[in-house]
Amino acid sequence: MQGFSGVQFGPGGGYVFLSDNGFGGRANSADYPLRLYRVGLMAKTAPGGTGRVEVGTFVKLRDPDRRVPWTIVNEASRERGLTGAGRT
């Protein structure tokens, strides 16, 4: 799993992380699928805690309804999965 660009509180006390744009740059990230990851963080504190991170399920970002107003890498596909390259 690559790095993350954003984080938000998720349902049930967890977090939702937005994956980074891919493999370091647009030019080499056309095949990197953008995703939202559900993550559980159990901090290790002085009085306790496990210090564990649990990566749960993910949601692939896609645009089957053609709402993205520019041409994307997967323009011709039915699912129109969004990638780290963004535009073509």
Side-chain angles (χ1 to χ4, degrees):
M1 183 180 337
Q2 189 65 13
F4 296 111
S5 292
V7 62
Q8 186 62 267
F9 292 112
Y15 298 87
V16 177
F17 285 83
L18 172 64
S19 63
D20 209 351
N21 71 334
F23 302 114
R26 193 169 143 191
N28 64 341
S29 297
D31 60 348
Y32 183 84
L34 295 181
R35 296 175 174 166
L36 295 172
Y37 289 91
R38 293 184 182 98
V39 178
L41 303 173
M42 287 64 69
K44 187 168 188 170
T45 63
T50 61
R52 293 182 46 205
V53 174
E54 293 179 0
V55 178
T57 59
F58 63 84
V59 175
K60 289 172 48 176
L61 300 181
R62 57 195 186 95
D63 182 39
D65 296 331
R66 301 186 168 274
R67 294 183 186 214
V68 172
W70 55 81
T71 303
I72 62 172
V73 171
N74 293 318
E75 185 71 27
S77 73
R78 186 175 183 185
E79 184 178 85
R80 289 176 45 93
L82 301 179
T83 70
R87 300 173 185 241
T88 56

